[in-house]
Amino acid sequence: MAEGNQGYKGKALAILKKFNVRVWSEAVISSTRGEFNGIVLPRSENDDDKHIVLKLITGYNIGIATDTIENIKECGYKEAHYKIPEKEFPVSENKPNIKLFGTGGTIASRLDYRTGAVIPAFSPGELYGAVPELADICNLTTDKLFAVFSENMGPKQYTVLAKAIGEQIEKGIDGIVIGHGTDTMHHTAAALSFMVQNPPIPIVMVGSQRSSDRPSSDAALNLIHATKAAAESDIAEVLVCMFGPTSDEYGLLHMGTRVRKMHSSYRSTFRTIGDIPVAMIDTEKITPIKHNYNKRRNDRDVKITPVFEEKVALVYYYPNMQPDIIDSLVANGYKGIVIAGTGLGHVNKPVYPAIERATKAGVAIYMTVQTLWGYVHMFVYDTGRDLMSIGIIPTENMLPEVAYVKLGWALGQTDDMEKVKEIMLTPISDEITKREPYNGYLVFQGGIPEVEEFLRDIHK
Ligand code: ASP
């Protein structure tokens, strides 16, 4: 093997030696489970000695158990240098100044040569080295606030971000981009929509579904679109900017409170729910779709409220849910519960007494719908009326995750249940809207005439 063992030991090392194969070689591994073609990746010191790790052509890494391997054939050698050259970002006086905050996620990732895993890595110079187009759009400075995958984002990170945004606005920045993992980007977008109210500039969250070492990566284009939106658009809202269609034709800008990740692997995963996206964006232009958004201003009158009560839960109702779910949350000191109920906002009868106990104990309970599209309607069936009489409050068409975030934020400000209710039901950033527009219900079901017609319309 070329240089050292690159993490391979024991059986795994022995098998590489037996077939005279090096780390970083392109290899065909024949095993009892089939034939695999890819690049032999290095391993970390802590990994087992029972697998050879291959990066497949698709970009996915797989471990092949040594005792299933019958033959390995080396057919090439492709040592990867994943370190992106750092370059100093050029500054030009007539370009807008944009701050990019890094929080982690795939967009800030590169391949860790030791493990073959995708790990968070972020530096301004690296970004410019990787996406030089950014310099045509703005003067970019960056701050790495966190380096986590987004399942690790939460109230502490939301408040740090909100404060950092406030500081930048005060300093006169023209736009903010936030690099973030896609999995919980809609939670953070909602949190920032409430914590940073009336921003005078665009605050654009962006991520990527595929890391930049993959040919199909959406990282660079999403970043270009988001930076362009922050620098040039007049949309002074918290937005999410990601691929629109599955191709790289254009990106969409979504309201931070009306957006949701809807597909685990498509690049076009983010969809506006119950409304239409704010705008389309490509490298040439920004085309508004919706027109009632807050416009960019020169003042700096933003309202930052960086608070969050952590003892809030989001409960997804399922048939036969037991009342002890609710009782145990109350016993554990939870102050607020958002339920994602069935249909128009229902849970089964056995849960009612637990809900009554909870509301009597001063726990705030709010109802949303797991259908995602549509409104909670608790006057239609007597069961809905019963639920309201025991203290559940319907939240119109607020998405479950958004209601969860808003309740945490509201309870972070006050314990007074009337005030909490007022905060919850007063729309701040389109989290509650008067009606769903006729074309705000979009599910890609190929061939259905009204969907095709809607798509033709937005392609015009
Ligand atoms: N697991 C990653 C995250 O949310 C996925 C991504 O960034 O797309 O951090």
Side-chain angles (χ1 to χ4, degrees):
M1 283 169 64
E3 321 147 17
N5 301 335
Q6 305 233 31
Y8 282 93
K9 57 194 175 204
K11 278 191 203 155
L13 180 61
I15 208 153
L16 287 178
K17 280 190 170 153
K18 177 174 162 197
F19 294 108
N20 202 15
V21 174
R22 299 164 291 171
V23 169
W24 295 122
S25 62
E26 283 181 69
V28 180
I29 301 188
S30 312
S31 80
T32 52
R33 314 194 66 180
E35 213 172 74
F36 301 94
N37 198 341
I39 294 168
V40 179
L41 290 177
R43 307 216 62 199
S44 102
E45 305 76 46
N46 305 325
D47 287 333
D48 65 38
D49 69 341
K50 297 181 180 59
H51 295 89
I52 307 288
V53 178
L54 268 195
K55 184 164 199 69
L56 301 178
I57 294 154
T58 55
Y60 286 104
N61 302 335
I62 56 161
I64 302 168
T66 44
D67 49 12
T68 65
I69 295 176
E70 290 160 344
N71 188 36
I72 313 182
K73 203 173 135 234
E74 186 174 310
C75 23
Y77 184 80
K78 220 183 199 173
E79 182 157 1
H81 295 285
Y82 285 102
K83 181 92 187 97
I84 302 162
E86 299 223 11
K87 290 190 196 155
E88 202 169 317
F89 206 95
V91 179
S92 137
E93 254 178 37
N94 43 28
K95 291 216 163 72
N97 296 318
I98 300 299
K99 174 64 84 179
L100 171 67
F101 287 124
T103 69
T106 301
I107 189 148
S109 298
R110 62 176 171 77
L111 191 86
D112 178 6
Y113 80 93
R114 287 183 321 120
T115 61
V118 169
I119 55 154
F122 178 95
S123 94
E126 268 189 353
L127 259 182
Y128 177 48
V131 194
E133 292 91 335
L134 297 177
D136 300 333
I137 303 172
C138 64
N139 299 319
L140 191 75
T141 52
T142 63
D143 276 340
K144 175 170 155 182
L145 295 181
F146 321 107
V148 296
F149 286 118
S150 70
E151 57 271 28
N152 301 307
M153 291 293 291
K156 286 193 187 71
Q157 289 76 14
Y158 304 157
T159 53
V160 170
L161 251 177
K163 286 181 200 160
I165 291 170
E167 281 160 21
Q168 286 305 319
I169 291 176
E170 208 181 300
K171 282 188 190 155
I173 203 84
D174 297 307
I176 291 172
V177 177
I178 302 166
H180 196 286
T182 56
D183 296 353
T184 72
M185 195 182 323
H186 48 295
H187 295 81
T188 306
L192 294 179
S193 303
F194 302 132
M195 291 181 179
V196 181
Q197 280 178 45
N198 197 33
I201 55 164
I203 298 166
V204 190
M205 300 196 64
V206 66
S208 75
Q209 281 281 78
R210 316 236 171 109
S211 58
S212 46
D213 54 285
R214 295 178 62 182
S216 61
S217 175
D218 47 341
L221 198 57
N222 283 341
L223 195 57
I224 293 169
H225 287 159
T227 308
K228 188 178 170 73
E232 296 170 17
S233 92
D234 69 340
I235 311 166
E237 301 274 8
V238 174
L239 300 165
V240 164
C241 176
M242 292 286 292
F243 257 48
T246 44
S247 69
D248 56 8
E249 230 173 298
Y250 59 87
L252 285 172
L253 297 173
H254 307 270
M255 282 296 284
T257 57
R258 295 239 60 95
V259 66
R260 199 168 185 284
K261 184 171 181 176
M262 298 301 284
H263 198 282
S264 62
S265 60
Y266 278 7
R267 295 172 301 179
S268 55
T269 173
F270 281 87
R271 297 288 127 201
T272 287
I273 310 284
D275 205 343
I276 53 174
V278 189
M280 283 167 75
I281 184 161
D282 58 34
T283 48
E284 301 296 313
K285 58 189 181 311
I286 300 164
T287 314
I289 302 176
K290 188 175 146 119
H291 296 278
N292 52 337
Y293 52 78
N294 287 328
K295 302 280 183 304
R296 187 190 277 277
R297 313 182 308 272
N298 287 327
D299 68 61
R300 300 280 117 182
D301 300 338
V302 61
K303 189 174 166 214
I304 311 283
T305 316
V307 292
F308 203 97
E309 167 55 60
E310 300 204 12
K311 286 289 197 185
V312 173
L314 172 57
V315 176
Y316 193 92
Y317 174 76
Y318 49 90
N320 199 35
M321 189 171 102
Q322 302 293 306
D324 56 5
I325 297 274
I326 302 292
D327 287 332
S328 51
L329 285 172
V330 178
N332 280 300
Y334 278 75
K335 295 185 172 170
I337 302 171
V338 170
I339 298 178
T342 56
L344 296 169
H346 306 291
V347 293
N348 61 358
K349 285 235 151 87
V351 172
Y352 288 21
I355 287 175
E356 194 165 11
R357 286 192 287 278
T359 55
K360 282 208 172 120
V363 176
I365 308 201
Y366 286 81
M367 181 64 84
T368 60
V369 290
Q370 40 184 258
T371 57
L372 302 180
W373 270 272
Y375 290 71
V376 184
H377 278 298
M378 303 190 74
F379 285 109
V380 178
Y381 297 97
D382 57 354
T383 47
R385 289 167 189 266
D386 290 346
L387 280 170
M388 285 200 298
S389 73
I390 56 173
I392 285 203
I393 301 168
T395 59
E396 313 255 357
N397 66 337
M398 226 191 294
L399 292 167
E401 294 89 354
V402 175
Y404 157 74
V405 166
K406 196 173 185 191
L407 187 55
W409 176 73
L411 284 165
Q413 297 170 68
T414 177
D415 284 336
D416 178 334
M417 288 299 130
E418 274 313 304
K419 288 209 179 105
V420 170
K421 183 173 172 186
E422 196 189 316
I423 295 171
M424 285 299 283
L425 299 185
T426 308
I428 291 170
S429 181
D430 282 1
E431 73 279 17
I432 292 176
T433 57
K434 281 219 169 64
R435 72 183 74 82
E436 276 181 2
Y438 74 96
N439 54 1
Y441 179 58
L442 176 62
V443 179
F444 281 101
Q445 291 285 293
I448 294 173
E450 52 270 38
V451 173
E452 298 299 314
E453 195 188 316
F454 176 62
L455 290 176
R456 264 197 303 279
D457 266 7
I458 61 171
H459 274 276
K460 266 181 206 161

